[in-house]
Amino acid sequence: MTEFDVVVKNALVVRAGQPAPERLDIAVKDGVFAAFEENIAPERAAETVDGSGRYVFPGVVDAHQHWGIYNELGEDAGSESRASAQGGVTTSLSYIRTGAYYLNRTGPYREVFPEVLEKTEGRAYIDYAFHLAPILAEHIDEIPELIEEHGVASFKIFMFYGSHGLHGRSSSQRDFLMIPEDQTYNIAHFEFIMRGLQKAREQFPQDKDRLSLSLHCETPEIMSAYTKLVEQEGKLSGLEAYSASRPPHSEGLAITIASYLAHETELPNINLLHLTSRKAIEAAMMMQQTFPHINFRREVTIGHLLATYETANLGGKVNPPLRSADDVEALWEHLLAGHVSWVCSDHACCREEAKFGEPRDDVFVAKSGFGGAEYLLPGLISEGRKRGLSYNRIAELTAQVPAERFGLTGKGDLQVGLDADFVLVDDDVEYTVRADDSLSTQEYTPFEGFGLTAKVTDTFLRGQAVLRDEHIVGEPQGQYVRRTAASS
């Protein structure tokens, strides 16, 4: 009988916190890492994987995806998890809420969330968990139950829904969010969410460090006014017009409001999502100085690091928008300075028939969001190494930090005892991004024609191959991951 199930040889191991990649062999047993040694004999394992000089990164923990936003949830769990594996993602954290899109229904999460779990069970090729958004007042009261019964550790607020739907002005917030006549979704509701989550942290002290609140920070009043201005002036078009209609200071203002509310409610674990601009990240850093007792995390997406409103096609409409080249450089400056906590994809598969309206070139008619998980690790390596971003820091940004923040205690690093989630990366390639090469059901990509110099060749989930030689293998092995001690 062999000692190990899998041994990976001839690869460079990239671990968070280490000064450089290490030439080590990796052994896997029963789905977890069993050993990291300089030379593990092949005969000690049932299977040997030849790393062929490639780099072994920890499986990416993509902290921000959207399964089921435009397509049936179970269908997305299948197709978009395959696309995720192409980008080195082994764990997806996907956002779910009630209202229009997603399941297109309302009601308590004790009824809605079991349906989410049922629709995704047995469909995903990677492990997954969900962030939940308290939309109804009763959702706040359900937070302890979600923590204890389902292991949910993270929650979300969409600050821009005050006067905007998903794509632009909403004629009826109540219809869009499916909330009753006597409720509103506004700053007061956000405060009560924070108070409810802080109360839950006190109720479950063993989970207090892993319970957090994420916020999409844009200010609806600013967005409404500037959308009107941009349309009336008619000087801008395409993604530049959309960026101007949701200007960077709208992000900055929302960040300051969110941060003060966190201070007021004494809720310390705050995640500021998809910061897109110089003003946004400067506001976030200002709030960190103003409220040093708040444990802020600052998120940036691979899309906002790779593309501008000039380089992407119209498929790049997203909330918050793609920005200027100056804003992209600001994000990189702060990332290299250590001010960015993690990089994610904000993957939201939106097929062509749903994405583009009539006229096709009208950005205000197009739907918001696009897929991009398949470019997460390859894109960050390709662009990051040009700027001096180390591979070990990339391992922190894509795996170790998000796993720690969101209670994925068995994920995020290459260490004995953790889940054997890892990917092999070839960084000696040059190729052009083509939508046709993606396993997503989305037929286009905003990154069409972009050049990359790194590629994920193999992805392993708990020691089982998901992607081999750039092809999906086997059946779906992904599992729902509970993230709280209260649920164990």
Side-chain angles (χ1 to χ4, degrees):
M1 181 178 293
T2 53
E3 185 178 354
F4 304 120
D5 299 324
V6 179
V7 164
V8 182
K9 297 186 67 67
N10 305 318
L12 290 165
V13 175
V14 182
R15 296 198 278 192
Q18 297 299 313
E22 305 160 273
R23 190 167 291 281
L24 295 171
D25 292 347
I26 302 172
V28 176
K29 179 69 173 177
D30 296 331
V32 301
F33 293 117
F36 293 84
E37 300 175 6
E38 289 188 4
N39 187 19
I40 301 176
E43 58 267 22
R44 295 171 67 186
E47 178 186 1
T48 300
V49 175
D50 182 8
S52 300
R54 289 167 290 175
Y55 290 84
V56 179
F57 279 80
V60 172
V61 175
D62 192 349
H64 193 149
Q65 293 197 355
H66 296 271
W67 291 357
I69 191 170
Y70 294 113
N71 311 306
E72 193 274 326
L73 178 57
E75 182 182 343
D76 260 4
S79 64
E80 305 318 297
S81 66
R82 292 194 292 271
S84 296
Q86 288 183 294
V89 178
T90 54
T91 304
S92 163
L93 287 157
S94 190
Y95 286 94
I96 292 289
R97 63 162 171 78
T98 56
Y101 297 95
Y102 298 97
L103 297 178
N104 282 303
R105 58 167 297 189
T106 189
Y109 275 122
R110 67 177 56 91
E111 297 174 1
V112 173
F113 196 57
E115 183 178 340
V116 170
L117 297 179
E118 180 183 354
K119 286 181 176 295
T120 51
E121 184 176 6
R123 304 295 295 271
Y125 285 78
I126 61 176
D127 283 354
Y128 57 96
F130 296 99
H131 313 282
L132 298 187
I135 301 296
L136 304 174
E138 68 180 302
H139 291 163
I140 301 174
D141 296 331
E142 289 185 292
I143 288 174
E145 182 179 344
L146 290 164
I147 293 169
E148 191 166 23
E149 295 297 320
H150 296 294
V152 176
S154 45
F155 300 85
K156 183 178 183 179
I157 289 170
F158 300 83
M159 294 186 73
F160 71 95
Y161 281 168
S163 62
H164 273 58
L166 192 57
H167 318 295
R169 292 184 306 276
S170 175
S171 59
S172 173
Q173 179 202 64
R174 185 161 285 111
D175 291 344
F176 175 67
L177 294 178
M178 300 182 187
I179 55 179
E181 292 287 337
D182 61 344
Q183 293 186 27
T184 54
Y185 190 79
N186 56 20
I187 291 175
H189 182 67
F190 307 158
E191 175 190 333
F192 297 146
I193 291 173
M194 290 186 177
R195 293 193 187 279
L197 183 54
Q198 176 55 20
K199 185 178 179 181
R201 291 182 70 252
E202 295 166 358
Q203 182 178 344
F204 302 108
Q206 69 272 41
D207 289 314
K208 66 177 183 179
D209 292 336
R210 63 180 94 183
L211 297 177
S212 67
L213 181 67
S214 300
L215 295 105
H216 179 135
C217 295
E218 292 183 279
T219 311
E221 295 85 354
I222 299 294
M223 291 158 50
S224 294
Y226 275 77
T227 298
K228 185 176 181 180
L229 283 175
V230 169
E231 290 183 315
Q232 286 178 341
E233 290 179 355
K235 296 179 180 179
L236 301 176
S237 61
L239 296 180
E240 185 177 6
Y242 196 61
S243 178
S245 77
R246 301 171 78 117
H249 73 275
S250 167
E251 288 185 87
L253 179 57
I255 287 165
T256 60
I257 294 170
S259 301
Y260 186 82
L261 280 180
H263 166 69
E264 164 64 22
T265 60
E266 301 181 346
L267 178 63
N269 294 340
I270 297 296
N271 311 309
L272 302 174
L273 302 183
H274 42 43
L275 304 175
T276 73
S277 61
R278 184 179 297 277
K279 289 182 178 179
I281 199 159
E282 287 179 351
M285 297 311 297
M286 190 186 308
M287 291 301 98
Q288 182 67 85
Q289 292 180 329
T290 304
F291 304 116
H293 53 289
I294 302 297
N295 186 357
F296 288 105
R297 293 290 186 270
R298 292 168 291 273
E299 173 187 281
V300 172
T301 81
I302 191 63
H304 291 104
L305 288 171
L306 295 182
T308 73
Y309 55 56
E310 293 179 321
T311 62
N313 56 47
L314 192 62
K317 180 181 178 180
V318 67
N319 303 327
L322 296 178
R323 301 295 189 189
S324 67
D326 176 71
D327 284 316
V328 171
E329 289 307 310
L331 296 182
W332 277 107
E333 290 169 13
H334 282 277
L335 187 151
L336 292 169
H339 300 158
V340 171
S341 304
W342 60 76
V343 178
C344 62
S345 71
D346 196 0
H347 186 99
C349 174
C350 184
R351 295 174 188 164
E352 197 162 310
E353 62 183 1
K355 181 76 175 184
F356 304 104
E358 291 296 336
R360 185 183 171 89
D361 61 351
D362 187 342
V363 72
F364 293 103
V365 174
K367 297 289 193 299
S368 300
F370 55 82
E374 56 269 61
Y375 314 112
L376 180 44
L377 191 56
L380 190 59
I381 294 172
S382 298
E383 190 63 27
R385 67 177 173 179
K386 297 178 188 175
R387 301 165 180 270
L389 181 64
S390 75
Y391 285 5
N392 297 83
R393 178 62 178 147
I394 289 173
E396 295 175 5
L397 289 165
T398 59
Q400 189 266 329
V401 176
E404 175 271 332
R405 180 57 153 191
F406 292 114
L408 292 160
T409 56
K411 307 286 188 182
D413 207 350
L414 305 176
Q415 299 290 344
V416 171
L418 295 184
D419 287 355
D421 301 346
F422 62 95
V423 298
L424 296 178
V425 173
D426 183 354
D427 73 343
D428 188 24
V429 293
E430 292 186 12
Y431 63 101
T432 301
V433 172
R434 300 296 182 202
D436 289 346
D437 297 327
S438 170
L439 294 174
S440 170
T441 59
Q442 183 175 286
E443 307 94 332
Y444 64 91
T445 174
F447 311 119
E448 187 78 25
F450 284 30
L452 297 181
T453 58
K455 179 175 288 188
V456 172
T457 61
D458 300 79
T459 299
F460 287 78
L461 175 69
R462 287 176 274 106
Q464 297 292 316
V466 176
L467 187 80
R468 292 298 297 265
D469 298 322
E470 301 178 40
H471 293 88
I472 292 292
V473 295
E475 298 300 315
Q477 300 292 325
Q479 299 175 3
Y480 172 70
V481 183
R482 296 172 179 264
R483 296 176 288 133
T484 63
S487 67
S488 60

